[in-house]
């Protein structure tokens, strides 16, 4: 993430030109043979005159066109590079003619200007935003602005790791209970972005007890709030055993069932829910654990996923088919449930016929062929598991008859 750019006014630009002139004058006092070109060359090569590695005029020009400068050094270099050398020389001579007292006063003015233009660090910007969130008298608009700033600032993993230390996680989680849905939405978004692929932050948020609230928000009537809450849940428990156990404890399967079985719900929520379900099953498969997931015994949820393979939305259809494949690969999955209750055999046949039609469309042919290959994989796994289940089923029937 780029640091906030430094913008300059005409007055500031003039002061920078004067600063550049003072630099030229200072060098000429030490070495009368030094030209402006030599100074510019030296500045580029050494990188020590202004406190570190330099940026080329071209790079700073690009940043300027983009809306601002990244450093004071860049501003100074740009001002030198875009000044008339003759006028800059004259300005340098004028500076040389200044008395020691006037020169000292000018240096104080330039120092004050540079302090005002000093770019705050990300940590300082985060502190400002967090302090605003903790200010109870803050207006709704300012609170929203502070959250938006945090949303950008938590992108780098180092900033995300510092968020709790600065009191940011506590402040953001409090705003999950705000009466304004937009405030709740962006707060959930921040938690999701900060915890994504970051076990350190995941555990901090889980310890603060935010998961239960996010799961409640996933059922919000405000669709954007529900979507961002579901995004945060997925980011929070992804590849996190502790988070997944808490999710199951909070009846996560019922949360997903409610979303996936509701045909009138926003399709974006269903996509995210199916993706989350498949991700949780894949984590179980990778861990090779024999612990039975609550999904296996939730027949309404399983049937809802199978039914979504008939969705008119091709993306949702594909995600649902992949989730079915993952579920079938679990040792605890009962193939007979998928046949008798979910009617997976009928769903796969229906899908086969639909894909045959899509293959005739040149625009969808490649996609349809890929999905057909996935459908065949699911069918092979299903039939194989069904075949293994038959002897056990026959044996159970025999025992019942003897009784």
């Amino acid at each position: 993430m780029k640091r906030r750019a430094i913008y300059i006014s005409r007055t500031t630009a003039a002061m920078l030109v004067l600063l550049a002139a003072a630099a030229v004058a200072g060098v000429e006092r030490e070495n009368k043979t030094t030209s402006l070109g030599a100074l510019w060359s030296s500045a580029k090569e050494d990188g020590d005159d202004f406190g570190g590695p330099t940026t080329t005029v071209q790079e700073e020009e690009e940043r300027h066109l983009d809306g601002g400068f990244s450093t004071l050094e860049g501003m100074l270099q740009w001002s030198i590079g875009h000044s008339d050398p003759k006028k800059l020389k004259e300005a340098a001579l004028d500076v040389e003619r200044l008395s020691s007292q006037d020169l000292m006063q000018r240096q104080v003015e330039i120092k004050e200007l540079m302090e005002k233009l000093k770019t705050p660090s990300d940590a300082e910007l985060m502190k400002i935003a967090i302090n605003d969130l903790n200010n109870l008298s803050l207006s709704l608009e300012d609170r929203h602005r502070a959250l938006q700033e945090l949303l950008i600032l938590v992108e780098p993993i180092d900033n995300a790791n510092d968020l709790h230390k600065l009191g940011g996680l506590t402040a953001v989680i409090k705003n999950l209970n705000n009466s304004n849905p937009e405030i709740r939405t962006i707060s959930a978004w921040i938690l999701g972005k900060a915890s994504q692929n970051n076990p350190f932050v995941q555990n901090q948020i889980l310890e603060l007890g935010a998961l239960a609230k996010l799961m409640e928000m996933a059922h919000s009537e405000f669709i954007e709030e529900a979507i961002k809450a579901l995004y945060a849940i997925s980011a929070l428990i992804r590849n996190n055993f502790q988070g997944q156990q808490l999710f199951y404890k909070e009846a996560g399967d019922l949360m997903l069932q409610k979303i996936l079985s509701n045909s009138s719900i926003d399709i974006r929520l269903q996509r995210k829910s199916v993706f989350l379900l498949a991700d949780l099953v894949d984590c179980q498969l990778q861990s090779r654990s024999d612990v039975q997931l609550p999904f296996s015994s939730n027949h309404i949820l399983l049937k809802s996923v199978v039914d979504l393979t008939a969705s008119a939305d091709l993306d949702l259809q594909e995600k649902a088919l992949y989730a079915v494949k993952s579920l079938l690969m679990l040792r605890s999955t009962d193939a007979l449930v998928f046949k008798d209750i979910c009617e997976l055999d009928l769903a796969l046949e229906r899908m086969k016929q639909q894909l045959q039609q899509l293959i005739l469309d040149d625009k969808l042919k490649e996609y349809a062929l890929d999905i057909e290959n996935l459908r065949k994989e699911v069918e092979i796994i299903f039939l194989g598991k069904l075949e293994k289940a038959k002897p056990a089923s026959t044996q159970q029937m025999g025992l019942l008859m003897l009784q």
Side-chain angles (χ1 to χ4, degrees):
M1 182 187 70
K2 292 182 179 179
R3 290 269 179 103
R4 295 185 179 183
I6 303 170
Y7 299 88
I8 59 173
S9 63
R10 289 186 179 183
T11 304
T12 304
M15 289 290 280
L16 286 169
V17 171
L18 184 60
L19 177 59
V24 173
V27 171
E28 288 192 344
R29 283 177 178 175
E30 294 180 5
N31 186 355
K32 293 290 184 180
T33 61
T34 302
S35 66
L36 180 60
L39 173 66
W40 181 243
S41 173
S42 173
K44 286 200 298 181
E45 292 171 1
D46 299 336
D48 294 330
D49 294 323
F50 305 101
T54 60
T55 308
T56 65
V57 178
Q58 182 180 358
E59 290 172 340
E60 281 301 339
E61 176 73 14
E62 291 173 357
R63 288 196 177 96
H64 174 60
L65 292 173
D66 191 40
F69 295 93
S70 59
T71 61
L72 286 171
E73 172 197 343
M75 291 169 63
L76 178 56
Q77 290 187 3
W78 185 87
S79 65
I80 294 174
H82 287 75
S83 299
D84 185 330
K86 184 178 179 181
K87 290 183 178 179
L88 190 61
K89 191 82 170 180
E90 291 173 356
L93 291 173
D94 289 340
V95 171
E96 275 195 310
R97 295 190 190 101
L98 291 174
S99 66
S100 298
Q101 186 175 355
D102 289 339
L103 186 58
M104 188 177 297
Q105 178 62 33
R106 193 62 55 84
Q107 288 172 343
V108 169
E109 291 172 1
I110 291 172
K111 184 178 180 181
E112 289 176 353
L113 173 66
M114 292 181 71
E115 285 297 322
K116 288 180 181 178
L117 295 173
K118 185 179 179 182
T119 309
S121 66
D122 283 357
E124 289 170 333
L125 292 172
M126 288 169 69
K127 285 178 184 177
I128 293 170
I130 293 164
N131 287 337
D132 284 347
L133 291 180
N134 289 326
N135 184 353
L136 298 178
S137 63
L138 201 69
S139 69
L140 190 66
E141 183 182 355
D142 286 338
R143 186 170 297 277
H144 193 271
R145 172 196 49 74
L147 287 167
Q148 284 183 316
E149 289 178 358
L150 281 181
L151 181 64
I152 297 170
L153 288 165
V154 298
E155 275 193 39
I157 190 168
D158 289 340
N159 289 354
N161 289 343
D162 287 340
L163 188 59
H164 188 37
K165 180 173 62 178
L166 298 172
L169 285 183
T170 303
V172 172
I173 289 172
K174 281 182 181 178
N175 278 280
L176 293 178
N177 294 300
N178 194 284
S179 59
N180 183 277
E182 291 186 6
I183 295 295
R184 297 196 301 268
T185 299
I186 196 169
S187 298
W189 196 356
I190 291 169
L191 296 178
K193 186 171 283 191
S195 61
Q196 196 163 32
N197 300 316
N198 190 333
F200 181 69
V201 176
Q202 284 177 336
N203 292 332
Q204 289 176 332
I205 297 175
L206 290 170
E207 288 171 6
L208 290 170
L211 182 60
K213 180 60 183 177
L214 289 168
M215 292 176 67
E216 177 188 324
M217 290 168 62
H219 299 302
S220 172
E221 60 182 7
F222 300 100
I223 192 61
E224 290 304 323
E225 177 183 350
I227 288 171
K228 288 300 185 289
L230 198 51
Y231 160 72
I233 294 166
S234 299
L236 195 55
I237 67 176
R238 182 175 176 79
N239 296 321
N240 189 300
F241 179 77
Q242 178 191 356
Q244 290 170 15
Q245 294 308 304
L246 283 172
F247 179 75
Y248 300 138
K249 187 177 179 180
E250 295 288 340
D253 64 312
L254 296 180
M255 183 199 83
L256 294 176
Q257 174 198 310
K258 187 175 180 180
I259 294 171
L260 296 177
S261 61
N262 185 351
S263 59
S264 63
I265 206 164
D266 192 288
I267 205 163
R268 292 173 294 170
L269 268 176
Q270 290 192 319
R271 287 193 202 123
K272 288 185 179 297
S273 296
V274 171
F275 184 82
L276 173 57
L277 173 63
D279 189 59
L280 289 168
V281 176
D282 286 344
C283 285
Q284 180 82 349
L285 292 170
Q286 290 169 13
S287 68
R288 298 183 179 181
S289 172
D290 290 327
V291 176
Q292 184 172 345
L293 295 178
F295 308 131
S296 304
S297 57
N298 188 330
H299 297 171
I300 298 175
L301 174 59
L302 295 178
K303 188 173 189 324
S304 298
V305 177
V306 172
D307 288 347
L308 288 174
T309 61
S311 172
D313 184 88
L314 297 179
D315 185 31
L316 177 57
Q317 186 183 67
E318 180 183 3
K319 283 180 168 61
L321 185 60
Y322 182 83
V324 170
K325 176 187 173 182
S326 298
L327 285 163
L328 285 170
M329 293 173 69
L330 289 172
R331 295 177 187 173
S332 57
T333 299
D334 188 344
L336 291 173
V337 170
F338 272 90
K339 182 181 186 301
D340 299 335
I341 297 177
C342 303
E343 300 180 327
L344 179 58
D345 50 344
L346 299 179
L348 291 174
E349 182 59 31
R350 182 176 59 241
M351 197 173 195
K352 179 181 179 180
Q353 294 174 9
Q354 179 197 15
L355 291 170
Q356 285 174 347
Q357 294 298 315
L358 291 178
I359 289 172
L360 299 177
D361 187 333
D362 289 338
K363 293 181 180 178
L364 296 173
K365 182 178 181 179
E366 187 176 347
Y367 171 82
L369 288 171
D370 288 341
I371 301 303
E372 172 58 16
N373 288 333
L374 177 59
R375 190 202 67 82
K376 286 179 179 177
E377 284 184 58
V378 173
E379 190 171 49
I380 290 169
I381 297 170
F382 173 54
L383 293 176
K385 199 152 191 174
L386 198 60
E387 192 65 32
K388 290 179 181 178
K390 281 182 180 179
S393 178
T394 304
Q395 187 178 7
Q396 286 175 358
M397 287 293 293
L399 288 172
L400 288 171
M401 291 175 66
L402 289 174
Q403 292 174 356

